[in-house]
Amino acid sequence: MKLAVYSAQPYDRRFLDEARQNFAAGGIDAVYFSDALTLDTIPLAQGCEAVCVFVNDQLDAGVLAALHASGVRAVLLRCAGFNNVDLQTGHALGLFMARVPAYAPEAVAEHALAMVMTLNRHTHRAYARVREGNFALDGLLGMTLHGKTVGIVGAGQIGAAAARIFHGLGCEVLISDPMPLPQLAALARHVPLDELLASADIVSLHCPLMDSTRHMINAASLARMKPGAMLVNTSRGGLIDTAAVIEALKSRQLGALAIDVYEQEASLFFHDHSSDIIADDVFQRLLTFPNVLVTGHQGFFTIEAMREIASVTFDNLACYIQHRPCPNLLPAGIAATTAAPTPAAAPANTEAASIAPKK
């Protein structure tokens, strides 16, 4: 079988090839493309029965239909989120579509902590100063996290890991999630979102992106936040209305912002633009604030997580090849007319189910 891997960086090839060598089914010829999957790049998958994609690849109705017409029958997401997939079309076409629902959730949670610590204690600015021989402390004043209130919005596996981490630092942890979470009762207090926003010194987002969560951080929710609080997003860029966040930063209602994701990141992240002119004025405006920290969607980027992503991706492919139940199938679209070509019903989306209201 031939597998086309889109949005492939050198590190993707390293870990996918490692997993492919250990692949019990064998006989997989993987071809790697740095290009993202779009209508224009579908011809790259000519002769491939399966494609492997990432967070910013396009999997709308047109792309899925064209992939199917070209002979593709399996779509493997090497990520947890699937907001870029037209589920209804994919299932109607009978495509096998599977994801990696959880991979070293501590990796993303630890990155959220790293961003909080960096922004709070200004270590990125201190590093640059010291290298220039400037050892002045003015402008580097932070706060002690012990005893502060941290709000976790969305308590799937990553959110739960973040709750454990911040509880371990001696923070009071609040969780907002539609699902009851008795397993976290010893670590955190379950509260409505409005109470969390009003009480938390730090708000950390750990939600999937769907209609019910898109722009959940907007002008109204920012106004309900504790003045001067820090907002952290390591989930999906679309959770935040960036224009509203900029206004909140300008008015000092929002004290600091740390983001590893950005709503319009597809044309920016995972590539070197150091010699380019970045035409995104909103993104450029964000970078002008001294109390804003941006990283390029690297929360998942640890050795352990990359190995797990690659391993589960090939396990999913084995399910497709061997026509056996796959625990990681994408949930069926609302009006899907055909099931994926395995006998298993699609499982519930555990991350999404833990935060999104029931449909």
Side-chain angles (χ1 to χ4, degrees):
M1 178 184 291
K2 195 172 181 182
L3 170 69
V5 183
Y6 284 90
S7 297
Q9 302 295 332
Y11 46 80
D12 292 307
R13 180 164 190 160
R14 168 191 166 186
F15 289 101
L16 287 170
D17 276 348
E18 178 183 289
R20 187 163 60 98
Q21 290 172 5
N22 299 322
F23 186 47
I28 301 298
D29 179 17
V31 288
Y32 296 91
F33 306 106
S34 60
D35 306 79
L37 174 60
T38 66
L39 274 174
D40 293 334
T41 59
I42 286 173
L44 295 175
Q46 187 66 37
C48 296
E49 188 175 345
V51 296
C52 181
V53 297
F54 199 45
V55 293
N56 292 323
D57 288 304
Q58 294 179 19
L59 293 153
D60 56 26
V63 168
L64 290 175
L67 283 174
H68 184 269
S70 72
V72 171
R73 295 295 179 266
V75 177
L76 308 172
L77 280 69
R78 55 184 191 276
C79 54
F82 51 89
N83 55 280
N84 55 334
V85 183
D86 187 315
L87 297 175
Q88 181 175 333
T89 298
H91 285 287
L93 291 168
L95 290 171
F96 175 97
M97 300 182 295
R99 64 181 181 131
V100 183
Y103 44 88
E106 292 77 14
V108 180
E110 288 172 7
H111 190 69
L113 172 65
M115 297 190 79
V116 169
M117 298 289 277
T118 299
L119 194 50
N120 174 43
R121 299 303 297 268
H122 310 286
T123 48
H124 55 313
R125 300 177 66 191
Y127 171 81
R129 284 189 187 185
V130 168
R131 290 180 66 85
E132 295 177 353
N134 181 356
F135 301 95
L137 299 182
D138 292 341
L140 303 181
L141 186 66
M143 64 181 179
T144 301
L145 291 182
H146 183 90
K148 296 300 184 294
T149 300
V150 177
I152 305 293
V153 183
Q157 295 192 53
I158 296 172
R164 290 191 293 269
I165 288 172
F166 284 106
H167 178 266
L169 290 175
C171 298
E172 178 188 3
V173 180
L174 306 179
I175 286 177
S176 177
D177 193 298
M179 301 292 288
L181 301 161
Q183 70 276 19
L184 297 178
L187 305 177
R189 186 160 56 91
H190 194 284
V191 299
L193 179 59
D194 281 353
E195 182 179 342
L196 181 151
L197 294 176
S199 305
D201 300 292
I202 299 166
V203 175
S204 189
L205 305 180
H206 299 283
C207 317
L209 179 61
M210 50 186 59
D211 289 344
S212 59
T213 60
R214 186 177 297 278
H215 285 185
M216 66 183 303
I217 299 300
N218 50 44
S221 55
L222 287 162
R224 295 195 295 271
M225 286 181 66
K226 184 176 182 179
M230 180 189 298
L231 175 64
V232 184
N233 186 13
T234 54
S235 295
R236 286 292 182 266
L239 299 176
I240 288 178
D241 180 342
T242 311
V245 163
I246 289 174
E247 290 304 313
L249 287 165
K250 288 164 61 178
S251 69
R252 275 70 170 179
Q253 167 65 14
L254 186 61
L257 173 70
I259 57 172
D260 185 50
V261 289
Y262 172 60
E263 189 166 15
Q264 305 300 327
E265 71 177 55
S267 62
L268 293 173
F269 288 7
F270 306 115
H271 300 283
D272 182 1
H273 295 285
S274 58
S275 298
D276 301 335
I277 294 175
I278 296 176
D280 187 331
D281 292 341
V282 174
F283 185 77
Q284 292 289 65
R285 181 68 177 98
L286 273 180
L287 298 182
T288 67
F289 291 96
N291 53 345
V292 170
L293 178 65
V294 179
T295 54
H297 207 140
Q298 70 178 82
F300 73 99
F301 199 49
T302 67
I303 293 171
E304 294 80 3
M306 291 296 293
R307 281 185 174 149
E308 190 167 358
I309 289 169
S311 175
V312 174
T313 296
F314 276 98
D315 285 345
N316 291 340
L317 182 57
C319 290
Y320 168 75
I321 292 173
Q322 298 166 5
H323 301 286
R324 57 182 173 83
C326 178
N328 303 321
L329 290 178
L330 296 190
I334 295 173
T337 57
T338 24
T342 71
N349 172 14
T350 53
E351 282 290 318
S354 68
I355 179 62
K358 293 182 180 178
K359 294 185 177 180

